[in-house]
Amino acid sequence: KVGGMTFLNREIVDRLNRARNIISKTSPIRNMCNKDEVHDLRLIVKETVSYMTAVLIQSFIDLMLGDEPEKEKQEMVELMAFATLPRLETCGHEAVYKIFYDDLISGGFSTDMIGDTVTTLQSHYNCLGLTCDDVGRHIKDAADHPECSANLDIAGYTPVNATKTNWIAKLDLDAVAIHQLMSIENYKLAKRIYLEGHNYYDYDSKKDYNFVSLYNMTQSHTIEFTDFPVYQLYASYYGATEWGTDYANQLILGALDGTGPFVQKTAAQRALAVKTAISSMVSYMSALEALYFANSKCSESTKTAQIAFDGAVALLVGSVEGRGRGGSNYQEGQMFYSIGKRNCEHFHNCQGADAQANTEIFRALKEGQLWIQDQRCSELDKAVESINRNLKAPLMESLLYFSDDEIARYSDDDAAGYIATMAALPIIDDIDSISASSIKSAMDLTSSGTSGAGANKSDAVHAALSAVFLNQATDAIVDCDLVTNMDDICNQYYYDDGDDEDPNDVGINDPGDDGDVDTPVVGGQDILPEKVIKPEAPMPISNGLYVATNYVGDRSAIAHDVEQIQSFLNEGNFDGAMNLYKNGLNSKIYDENGLWEDKLVRSIKRFSTESRTTMESDPTYNLFIYGLSDENHEFMGRSATLYADTFIENLLYLKVPEASIAMVGITIWMQVANSLHSAYLSCKKSDLTEGRVIDGRDLQDGGPALLLDEAAAYWIGDNQDTGSSSEGHLLYALTETIGERFEKIPSGSESIINTKIIDLFNKAKNHIAISRGCSTSEASHLRLKGVIDELIPLMAVPLIRSLLYYLSEDNATMVKVYAVAVLPLFSACSPATYYELKDELIDHDVDLLMQKDYIYSKIQSLYSCLGLSCDLVGSMHDDDFSRCDEDSDLQSLAGYKYATEQEIVNRASHIDVEMRKIEIFIDNGIYHFSQNEDSLFGTAFDLYKHGQQPDGKGSLSSIARDTNRDVVPAFAAFRNYFGNDAYYADTMISNAFQKTGVFGKASIDQRKRFIVFALKYMVTHMAILEKIYDAVLICKKGGNLAEGTKSFDIAAGYFVGSLEGKDDGGSFDGSLIHMLAKRMCVQFGTCTSSNQARINERIISLFYAGQGELEAGACEPLGRTVKEIENALIVPLIQGVLFSARQNELHFKTPSVQEFYPEGYALALSVIPIINAKDPSSAANIKNVMVASFPDQSTDKGSNDSDKVHRVIKSAVSKMDGVDCSQIGSLGGYGFCEGDGSSMRNHASNSAISFVTLAITGMSLFTLL
């Protein structure tokens, strides 16, 4: 605090006091402020508004990072977004404003947006007159609130005096304000800002300059340097006109006032005219003035030269372009630099995200900066002349742009086209006055608007510029190759057949050409082959359904392969279909230069056959190969990694006409998913390294923007019309076709599923752009991952719908096609349900007499596992069988009826699905990718760390690292036991993933088994305790009891999981502590007559008691109930330790018996800290047997002494208040209460009841899956 106030309040109040003092000193006689006082008040107001904005930004960030309930937070963030986001528009960033408006207000705030939102706000501090220190950093110093950068670079250029240069760069904010004000016809205020300035305040020269305006920059006396050739050229040309040397100012005033050539022009026309005049006249000439001034001072004063040179860059580029190399990727710049970027987008000749002319200009600017520092003035002179030459190219291109047929037909651009012409005419006139006159006549404002004027403009300007560039003197003035790639303007080729003496080889336009097939050259240099494509050029897919950041027309052309294959199949030409499937035809593979030199093409077959390499670490692909694998890890007799090709070639061999549909639904669908996952991986690894990414625009294959565009191209394909099911051949068309049977789609509209998918593609694209290729925040990749994790289940909806439809139609072939296409996506869900469906619909011929309503219900029961709903998938028109709904009766976890919102509990209970996926990925590494198992460990580790939520919250890692666990009394015992490591479980699991620590010597199998058991039992045990004790705390503090109930229900989700199902007692698909208790009750004789674990029934009844106590606000009874739950939870964990110890000893004596060393290690470490708190000696003995020798226990006798483990646990339990020894039961006739038998070694290894129960339930003894 400063003077008892916060910093921002102090700054605001000080300025209000200063303003009051100025006004109070005003002479009562004249009753007005003098000029200096007005200037001072203007500055005070401007600075005060900046600090007031900082208060809003702080509040905005605080709300996003706050702990309020989700719905309340969303509403408050939305209100603060309304207050804060419009300020982004004043910075000239309308596109960014619209994106964040859609995200935060229209779409609704979610925590995954924090990183990008804060980063974006920080990038606007400078524009808003703030610094990082002014706003500060939130006390929650986390990845959600990235470090603020004080970088004041200008589009990648680093000024020597950044602060002073930054003042100048802000002049373009006046251009933003003028344009916005003119758009709403507030010409008076726009004119005042133009004349008086608003954003550029020269703090170093307050007396001389104060506020500097755009008007000031049009006046030669601003820095009083006119001794440079371009100024003289323009002065000579315009000196004979009514405007004289004040031409730029007169044109701008005319547009502001609506006079002269701008009479009767609309607000939009006049606004664009002023914007064009500022960029192509004011910015251009003032930047050149500063450059030549710097050049003149090079030998006299390095400091003066450097300040002027940096100022030239500021005037040339401005602040709106931003700090990063290449400037703004939304074409929102206001100064000269923006001209080339806008034009190259139109003419598809950008270099990366920027105009080639800009690239050349920036190269010379950076060189010039070095020449000044080294006082190499002759080199500086060359650099300035190079810049001068290259600056002319955007002016010429702008003229071409406004004369283009596509642009000229829009009258709103007429006035701007006139300005662009006037900006370029002096240069053209200096080369060819006749061509200049022709262009001036064609682009004159009075000649536009008549029929055919656009075409006349284009023809006249093209012809005139062609004549200009035929003049050999032009090349020294401007480089045509930087202006355009149009052959009719720059096609100055000469032909050389190797005979230097041949007088006939004189040129392309010479009638005496001998017609030899000669080598084309320019200036004696071989011409490179013309690019077939522009890899970096943005392109619309199928008439703009999605506008890709990069060229991906080669990818979308795969649709033509599908179209032609289908045509072959319809004709019965299966050989032709097979050949095209194998070899491809239409999807050409271009090299990084856009050339098709190797004549390679993509084929649908190779998508599958190369997937073993290209998709090895892809999580969706791994679910499919796991779900389709048989006991030999094969599918239809071949490696399951080739499942798509195997299935499709079989269809072609059997001459099934629907094979092309399978190619789309199976192969291309997976290719879309893989491109999305690859975009995430690229985003995760991204940093803005030289020559790789500019604003998400990729300069080489494999960047996140290109991979995302690729996914969109494979989804939509060529020739796809919006909402059309008859046009197009890829997944968009498939979605429309089946959507007509599940939705009521208005004419001309598209399926809601396609709408959602395209929206998510755009959301991902915008994120990559805003985060500058995922480089602005450590958590940028998680936002993209969240979008992708939302996209892939949506992509499955048309496949599910098709499966349901063809079941209803009794079409066995198509049922199998879509079963293969989509069912494996559910292979990590309920095993019993999945394998029943797989057996019915994939492994065997489809029985059309099956009970369809039963199959429907089984498929629908899996929806929630993917985050889908009945409402989203929908049902077929007039078909009751396919109709499903999620009602309140389904809010159950193995019979436990929870009160909390279903989505919240689903999110908690589905941690068992994520655990199962982790195990699947690691197993695939063992069975399918044995040469590179670590790749799949990496995929599994990524899932562990980040989960399937965009913010990473709720991931297994975040649960293991929950900072609220201090609320659990026993947590201190765990932390102390593990050497004060509060994240003990995460540490061990991460070590197992990364093969470090004790796991450095562990086998892949041991690491996997430990990871799985630690997740299922170590992590969930503490997570359950944290939630139920949190409920007690909420109750005692008088908090919202509904929040306490939510914590209780989440704890139940962690205890039961989703795989148990909803029926009372659950199923045998479960995998968490609830299922461990069911497995152990078989071994310990603690099952009920219905084969349920008695301890589970006890825990569930306690959960119900807690629910009631929370509802009644009975906090003390709730505390006792929670303690009873804690005591009951340890029972199945202790049983697991005992069982593992016994099995390990049996294995030690008889190796054919299954060992459980990793499982015992994980389970022992889950209970030892609790035992250690009561009986350190017993804890040490358990550790010596179960932990100390891991992972080399199989040869150590001391690690296989189950009798010791049984004795010390019996001793420890007697000292653990509240743990009922009778609930543990007995193992092999050995009990754990005082008076029970003292040794197990004289008892049979398995009781008769164990085998009977196992036979009844069909349950494995102690399995991982």
Side-chain angles (χ1 to χ4, degrees):
K1 292 193 174 185
V2 182
M5 297 184 190
T6 64
F7 167 76
L8 291 176
N9 272 340
R10 181 76 275 161
E11 295 295 323
I12 292 168
V13 170
D14 283 352
R15 281 160 179 76
L16 293 175
N17 285 330
R18 282 162 48 196
R20 178 199 60 199
N21 292 339
I22 290 171
I23 295 169
S24 65
K25 292 177 183 177
T26 302
S27 168
I29 298 173
R30 57 187 172 87
N31 195 29
M32 65 179 64
C33 297
N34 62 36
K35 182 179 179 181
D36 289 340
E37 289 168 341
V38 170
H39 278 162
D40 289 344
L41 283 171
R42 285 182 64 197
L43 183 60
I44 287 170
V45 170
K46 184 170 179 55
E47 291 177 346
T48 303
V49 170
S50 291
Y51 287 122
M52 289 167 60
T53 301
V55 174
L56 294 178
I57 291 172
Q58 285 183 339
S59 301
F60 193 12
I61 293 172
D62 182 60
L63 281 169
M64 289 190 289
L65 293 171
D67 297 322
E68 291 81 5
E70 187 173 348
K71 186 171 180 59
E72 181 182 336
K73 178 189 283 193
Q74 190 177 69
E75 292 172 350
M76 293 302 294
V77 168
E78 182 178 328
L79 287 172
M80 193 53 67
F82 269 120
T84 309
L85 290 182
R87 284 156 175 78
L88 304 188
E89 283 200 280
T90 67
C91 296
H93 295 155
E94 293 185 18
V96 173
Y97 165 75
K98 288 174 182 175
I99 289 168
F100 278 91
Y101 183 93
D102 289 344
D103 282 355
L104 295 168
I105 297 172
S106 300
F109 169 77
S110 62
T111 52
D112 65 294
M113 300 176 183
I114 296 173
D116 284 345
T117 305
V118 172
T119 299
T120 300
L121 289 172
Q122 290 171 342
S123 71
H124 286 79
Y125 288 174
N126 178 50
C127 155
L128 298 170
L130 299 168
T131 67
C132 296
D133 290 339
D134 290 335
V135 179
R137 184 174 174 83
H138 199 279
I139 56 173
K140 284 192 175 179
D141 189 358
D144 282 339
H145 190 175
E147 291 286 351
C148 181
S149 171
N151 177 358
L152 292 176
D153 286 0
I154 300 174
Y157 176 91
T158 304
V160 173
N161 187 332
T163 301
K164 189 174 184 66
T165 308
N166 178 55
W167 300 338
I168 303 170
K170 286 187 177 182
L171 191 60
D172 66 346
L173 297 177
D174 283 5
V176 172
I178 291 167
H179 186 74
Q180 292 173 345
L181 289 166
M182 291 188 73
S183 297
I184 59 172
E185 302 185 41
N186 191 338
Y187 302 113
K188 182 178 180 180
L189 186 52
K191 186 173 181 179
R192 184 194 300 173
I193 290 175
Y194 167 68
L195 292 172
E196 299 177 6
H198 183 64
N199 289 283
Y200 172 12
Y201 186 86
D202 195 327
Y203 286 86
D204 286 348
S205 306
K206 294 182 182 180
K207 190 171 283 189
D208 293 333
Y209 295 112
N210 206 293
F211 282 94
V212 180
S213 68
L214 287 162
Y215 162 74
N216 294 146
M217 305 311 292
T218 68
Q219 304 305 297
S220 61
H221 57 74
T222 301
I223 62 174
E224 298 181 352
F225 187 81
T226 59
D227 187 17
F228 61 99
V230 180
Y231 181 87
Q232 301 300 332
L233 175 67
Y234 276 69
S236 173
Y237 182 84
Y238 283 110
T241 69
E242 59 185 296
W243 304 315
T245 56
D246 197 30
Y247 63 93
N249 176 48
Q250 292 300 319
L251 284 167
I252 291 171
L253 288 175
L256 282 164
D257 295 335
T259 59
F262 305 100
V263 172
Q264 296 183 338
K265 293 300 177 185
T266 65
Q269 289 172 323
R270 290 160 62 188
L272 187 56
V274 171
K275 181 175 181 177
T276 306
I278 291 170
S279 61
S280 60
M281 291 181 172
V282 181
S283 172
Y284 173 66
M285 192 60 68
S286 58
L288 278 171
E289 183 178 5
L291 283 172
Y292 278 102
F293 180 73
N295 193 30
S296 72
K297 295 295 181 182
C298 178
S299 58
E300 298 176 22
S301 170
T302 299
K303 181 179 179 181
T304 301
Q306 193 64 73
I307 291 173
F309 196 86
D310 287 347
V313 178
L315 291 166
L316 198 67
V317 181
S319 66
V320 176
E321 291 284 358
R323 301 173 298 203
R325 182 167 57 90
S328 168
N329 49 302
Y330 289 108
Q331 309 302 335
E332 293 184 316
Q334 300 292 318
M335 306 303 262
F336 187 89
Y337 185 78
S338 67
I339 299 173
K341 294 176 70 174
R342 178 196 64 213
N343 293 339
C344 79
E345 289 280 356
H346 179 74
F347 292 113
H348 304 300
N349 61 348
C350 296
Q351 187 176 70
D354 204 354
Q356 187 178 354
N358 284 347
T359 303
E360 297 296 327
I361 291 165
F362 250 67
R363 182 180 295 112
L365 286 169
K366 290 184 177 181
E367 289 174 353
Q369 188 183 49
L370 294 175
W371 301 148
I372 293 174
Q373 291 171 2
D374 296 342
Q375 287 192 308
R376 296 172 64 179
C377 298
S378 61
E379 297 296 333
L380 174 64
D381 187 70
K382 293 176 185 177
V384 170
E385 290 305 327
S386 172
I387 294 166
N388 174 27
R389 177 173 180 258
N390 291 331
L391 286 174
K392 294 181 175 70
L395 293 179
M396 298 284 210
E397 193 172 44
S398 189
L399 170 59
L400 274 172
Y401 171 84
F402 284 110
S403 70
D404 187 277
D405 290 343
E406 293 181 23
I407 303 300
R409 68 170 60 101
Y410 300 109
S411 60
D412 278 356
D413 291 327
D414 285 349
Y418 172 71
I419 294 287
T421 304
M422 302 309 290
L425 276 180
I427 300 168
I428 298 170
D429 184 76
D430 189 46
I431 300 168
D432 183 344
S433 60
I434 295 175
S435 293
S437 178
S438 176
I439 291 170
K440 182 179 180 182
S441 175
M443 298 297 290
D444 189 85
L445 273 180
T446 58
S447 67
S448 62
T450 58
S451 177
N456 292 333
K457 280 184 183 182
S458 180
D459 292 344
V461 171
H462 276 232
L465 285 181
S466 294
V468 168
F469 283 106
L470 277 173
N471 188 325
Q472 293 184 0
T474 305
D475 190 56
I477 298 171
V478 60
D479 184 348
C480 190
D481 289 337
L482 296 183
V483 176
T484 180
N485 55 10
M486 296 179 181
D487 288 345
D488 62 336
I489 293 176
C490 291
N491 192 4
Q492 307 300 309
Y493 293 168
Y494 292 85
Y495 290 80
D496 182 6
D497 61 2
D499 182 359
D500 293 336
E501 297 182 358
D502 184 352
N504 294 317
D505 289 333
V506 292
I508 188 172
N509 296 316
D510 195 300
D513 194 340
D514 62 4
D516 291 349
V517 180
D518 300 330
T519 304
V521 298
V522 175
Q525 300 295 318
D526 288 347
I527 299 174
L528 292 173
E530 184 180 355
K531 283 187 177 183
V532 179
I533 62 147
K534 304 287 185 183
E536 71 284 350
M539 66 157 288
I541 300 174
S542 290
N543 297 319
L545 264 174
Y546 171 87
V547 179
T549 311
N550 305 268
Y551 179 84
V552 286
D554 50 339
R555 274 80 160 181
S556 60
I558 201 73
H560 298 298
D561 280 13
V562 174
E563 178 184 18
Q564 291 168 18
I565 288 171
Q566 184 60 62
S567 179
F568 281 139
L569 293 172
N570 291 341
E571 296 166 0
N573 185 353
F574 289 91
D575 290 339
M578 178 71 84
N579 181 64
L580 185 48
Y581 165 70
K582 287 182 176 180
N583 299 313
L585 178 63
N586 296 286
S587 183
K588 298 175 180 178
I589 300 175
Y590 300 104
D591 67 18
E592 62 183 8
N593 296 314
L595 304 174
W596 190 45
E597 288 193 330
D598 296 328
K599 309 304 181 194
L600 299 176
V601 294
R602 295 174 184 82
S603 76
I604 298 170
K605 176 184 175 70
R606 280 194 292 275
F607 282 153
S608 174
T609 56
E610 294 175 0
S611 61
R612 193 180 189 283
T613 301
T614 59
M615 301 185 189
E616 178 183 82
S617 60
D618 185 309
T620 303
Y621 172 69
N622 273 278
L623 285 178
F624 273 71
I625 60 176
Y626 168 80
L628 291 170
S629 292
D630 59 20
E631 63 276 9
N632 298 315
H633 314 297
E634 295 181 342
F635 176 65
M636 296 176 67
R638 294 174 72 196
S639 170
T641 59
L642 301 171
Y643 74 91
D645 181 57
T646 300
F647 186 75
I648 290 165
E649 285 212 345
N650 184 62
L651 292 178
L652 290 170
Y653 176 77
L654 296 174
K655 299 186 176 181
V656 175
E658 292 85 356
S660 62
I661 299 174
M663 295 175 199
V664 174
I666 298 174
T667 305
I668 295 177
W669 189 95
M670 184 56 69
Q671 189 62 39
V672 175
N674 178 248
S675 296
L676 291 170
H677 288 304
S678 299
Y680 162 67
L681 290 177
S682 179
C683 180
K684 183 180 174 185
K685 297 172 183 176
S686 224
D687 60 273
L688 206 57
T689 51
E690 187 73 22
R692 197 184 70 75
V693 176
I694 297 178
D695 291 328
R697 186 76 49 75
D698 298 276
L699 305 185
Q700 64 184 40
D701 199 27
L706 175 60
L707 290 163
L708 178 73
D709 291 344
E710 178 179 87
Y714 289 141
W715 182 266
I716 300 169
D718 280 350
N719 297 340
Q720 177 66 61
D721 289 337
T722 301
S724 173
S725 57
S726 58
E727 301 293 333
H729 305 280
L730 299 186
L731 290 150
Y732 183 98
L734 186 156
T735 303
E736 290 303 313
T737 299
I738 195 63
E740 292 170 356
R741 303 186 182 280
F742 282 75
E743 304 173 39
K744 293 180 179 178
I745 305 174
S747 177
S749 298
E750 65 186 354
S751 162
I752 187 64
I753 303 302
N754 265 332
T755 298
K756 289 176 179 289
I757 287 171
I758 300 301
D759 284 349
L760 287 171
F761 274 127
N762 282 312
K763 185 176 182 180
K765 179 180 71 174
N766 290 336
H767 168 69
I768 292 170
I770 288 173
S771 64
R772 299 185 65 81
C774 305
S775 66
T776 56
S777 164
E778 291 180 4
S780 285
H781 64 288
L782 296 181
R783 179 86 188 275
L784 181 62
K785 183 179 186 296
V787 177
I788 291 168
D789 286 341
E790 190 177 350
L791 248 173
I792 289 176
L794 268 177
M795 286 162 46
V797 171
L799 306 182
I800 295 169
R801 287 176 166 182
S802 297
L803 177 58
L804 296 174
Y805 169 70
Y806 286 110
L807 276 166
S808 74
E809 291 292 298
D810 294 333
N811 188 326
T813 298
M814 295 304 292
V815 166
K816 190 176 289 290
V817 165
Y818 282 107
V820 172
V822 72
L823 284 185
L825 201 57
F826 297 98
S827 59
C829 306
S830 168
T833 302
Y834 172 71
Y835 283 110
E836 182 180 5
L837 290 170
K838 179 175 181 282
D839 183 71
E840 288 275 4
L841 305 180
I842 296 175
D843 292 342
H844 299 96
D845 292 337
V846 178
D847 181 4
L848 296 176
L849 298 178
M850 69 177 83
Q851 288 185 295
K852 290 173 189 168
D853 56 341
Y854 176 76
I855 296 296
Y856 286 158
S857 69
K858 286 294 181 182
I859 294 170
Q860 291 158 351
S861 72
L862 298 173
Y863 287 175
S864 66
C865 180
L866 280 191
L868 300 176
S869 66
C870 291
D871 287 342
L872 185 63
V873 177
S875 58
M876 288 176 283
H877 307 313
D878 304 320
D879 178 32
D880 291 335
F881 286 127
S882 64
R883 187 167 290 112
C884 76
D885 62 276
E886 296 98 355
D887 56 34
S888 57
D889 293 337
L890 297 179
Q891 292 201 175
S892 168
L893 294 166
Y896 170 73
K897 302 295 192 296
Y898 53 85
T900 303
E901 188 178 329
Q902 189 173 24
E903 183 179 348
I904 294 171
V905 178
N906 275 349
R907 180 170 175 169
S909 65
H910 277 77
I911 60 171
D912 55 0
V913 174
E914 292 193 9
M915 294 174 189
R916 185 163 167 77
K917 286 180 180 178
I918 286 171
E919 189 172 2
I920 286 170
F921 298 156
I922 297 173
D923 273 339
N924 279 359
I926 296 171
Y927 297 125
H928 295 287
F929 307 102
S930 57
Q931 302 303 309
N932 196 16
E933 299 97 336
D934 286 341
S935 174
L936 271 301
F937 263 101
T939 301
F941 192 31
D942 192 76
L943 179 58
Y944 165 70
K945 287 191 295 183
H946 305 308
Q948 292 188 300
Q949 301 298 326
D951 54 7
K953 294 174 182 176
S955 70
L956 294 168
S957 174
S958 70
I959 294 172
R961 297 174 63 85
D962 195 312
T963 55
N964 192 42
R965 288 174 298 167
D966 282 322
V967 74
V968 180
F971 178 65
F974 279 83
R975 184 173 50 207
N976 294 337
Y977 185 83
F978 290 108
N980 207 35
D981 183 359
Y983 305 135
Y984 61 91
D986 178 69
T987 298
M988 287 186 279
I989 292 167
S990 296
N991 286 344
F993 271 118
Q994 297 172 315
K995 202 175 182 180
T996 56
V998 70
F999 299 97
K1001 297 180 180 179
S1003 68
I1004 289 173
D1005 182 62
Q1006 288 174 319
R1007 289 160 60 202
K1008 177 197 76 171
R1009 289 159 62 188
F1010 169 78
I1011 289 167
V1012 171
F1013 262 61
L1015 290 172
K1016 291 178 178 178
Y1017 309 126
M1018 185 185 294
V1019 172
T1020 57
H1021 176 230
M1022 188 55 65
I1024 294 166
L1025 296 180
E1026 186 269 317
K1027 288 301 178 185
I1028 58 177
Y1029 274 104
D1030 184 57
V1032 175
L1033 185 64
I1034 290 170
C1035 184
K1036 288 182 176 180
K1037 286 187 173 181
N1040 185 346
L1041 294 178
E1043 288 297 306
T1045 300
K1046 182 172 80 173
S1047 289
F1048 234 66
D1049 288 341
I1050 289 173
Y1054 292 157
F1055 171 61
V1056 178
S1058 68
L1059 298 178
E1060 292 274 8
K1062 302 179 184 299
D1063 295 339
D1064 287 352
S1067 68
F1068 294 108
D1069 284 340
S1071 63
L1072 303 184
I1073 294 177
H1074 186 270
M1075 187 64 211
L1076 177 65
K1078 288 196 284 187
R1079 287 200 171 99
M1080 292 299 99
C1081 82
V1082 176
Q1083 304 299 322
F1084 288 81
T1086 53
C1087 297
T1088 66
S1089 58
S1090 58
N1091 297 317
Q1092 299 298 325
R1094 285 202 298 269
I1095 196 66
N1096 280 347
E1097 293 188 350
R1098 172 69 178 154
I1099 292 170
I1100 292 298
S1101 69
L1102 289 169
F1103 268 111
Y1104 277 128
Q1107 264 191 3
E1109 287 153 357
L1110 276 164
E1111 187 175 348
C1115 304
E1116 292 304 320
L1118 176 64
R1120 292 192 292 271
T1121 298
V1122 163
K1123 182 61 180 174
E1124 288 189 62
I1125 293 174
E1126 180 180 11
N1127 290 331
L1129 278 174
I1130 200 172
V1131 169
L1133 298 178
I1134 289 174
Q1135 290 174 327
V1137 173
L1138 293 165
F1139 178 75
S1140 298
R1142 186 188 70 167
Q1143 289 300 113
N1144 290 342
E1145 183 173 348
L1146 290 173
H1147 170 77
F1148 183 73
K1149 295 175 179 178
T1150 310
S1152 61
V1153 175
Q1154 172 67 50
E1155 51 78 19
F1156 293 108
Y1157 294 122
E1159 293 83 355
Y1161 180 78
L1163 287 164
L1165 289 173
S1166 300
V1167 299
I1168 286 176
I1170 299 173
I1171 294 173
N1172 185 65
K1174 299 293 183 180
D1175 187 349
S1177 176
S1178 292
N1181 279 310
I1182 297 170
K1183 177 183 177 181
N1184 288 338
V1185 177
M1186 306 295 291
V1187 176
S1189 298
F1190 181 81
D1192 301 318
Q1193 295 158 298
S1194 60
T1195 58
D1196 177 33
K1197 185 175 181 180
S1199 299
N1200 293 279
D1201 188 351
S1202 63
D1203 195 47
K1204 179 188 285 188
V1205 175
H1206 287 66
R1207 287 198 312 272
V1208 299
I1209 284 183
K1210 180 175 181 178
S1211 171
V1213 167
S1214 68
K1215 301 172 186 177
M1216 297 167 67
D1217 296 337
V1219 178
D1220 185 351
C1221 60
S1222 67
Q1223 292 177 333
I1224 298 174
S1226 62
L1227 182 62
Y1230 181 88
F1232 300 93
C1233 292
E1234 293 296 329
D1236 288 344
S1238 60
S1239 174
M1240 64 156 283
R1241 286 185 173 143
N1242 295 323
H1243 296 278
S1245 62
N1246 284 296
S1247 64
I1249 188 171
S1250 296
F1251 286 113
V1252 171
T1253 308
L1254 286 169
I1256 292 172
T1257 62
M1259 184 169 52
S1260 301
L1261 281 171
F1262 199 59
T1263 61
L1264 289 169
L1265 289 177

